[in-house]
Amino acid sequence: MVFTCNTFGKGRAYYLGLPSGCGLMDDILDILVEELSLTEGPDVPEGVMARQIDDDHALYLNMTDKSQEISVGRNAKGLISGKEFRKIMVLPPFEAEFIENL
């Protein structure tokens, strides 16, 4: 594992090198979310990463080898897949989706 933090302008840049699928990433991200007072993203199953972009857009990435059922809260449209979701999205293995709430 390699971890470093550098000051850049008014902020900081964190660099982290880990083996793919390493569970340590979740622990480190939890520490950084707290330390930097970041807002956590949407609630997702283990192995899925999510980022709330704004009130109407979110990005999801399934890093597992199984389809994952994710509650998106409202009806939404997948801007990558073109699919419409009725409060629930099934994200295939190793796939990403960028959704827009309808």
Side-chain angles (χ1 to χ4, degrees):
M1 176 181 87
V2 177
F3 180 77
T4 185
C5 176
N6 296 310
T7 303
F8 185 80
K10 295 181 182 180
R12 288 182 279 180
Y14 292 90
Y15 300 92
L16 178 62
L18 293 171
S20 179
C22 181
L24 185 58
M25 177 70 91
D26 290 336
D27 295 334
I28 292 170
L29 291 175
D30 287 343
I31 291 167
L32 291 174
V33 164
E34 184 176 331
E35 178 184 319
L36 300 172
S37 301
L38 300 175
T39 302
E40 290 195 40
D43 188 30
V44 291
E46 188 171 336
V48 176
M49 297 179 73
R51 179 167 182 205
Q52 191 71 42
I53 305 302
D54 58 32
D55 288 342
D56 291 318
H57 298 89
L59 178 64
Y60 296 87
L61 175 61
N62 181 359
M63 298 177 58
T64 73
D65 61 355
K66 296 183 173 107
S67 290
Q68 298 287 337
E69 189 173 283
I70 301 163
S71 172
V72 293
R74 298 188 266 180
N75 292 342
K77 179 177 182 179
L79 300 178
I80 295 173
S81 68
K83 296 179 182 176
E84 289 198 14
F85 305 107
R86 304 251 182 240
K87 299 184 182 180
I88 300 288
M89 170 178 61
V90 176
L91 193 57
F94 305 110
E95 292 289 330
E97 184 62 272
F98 188 64
I99 66 162
E100 179 175 57
N101 292 326
L102 299 176

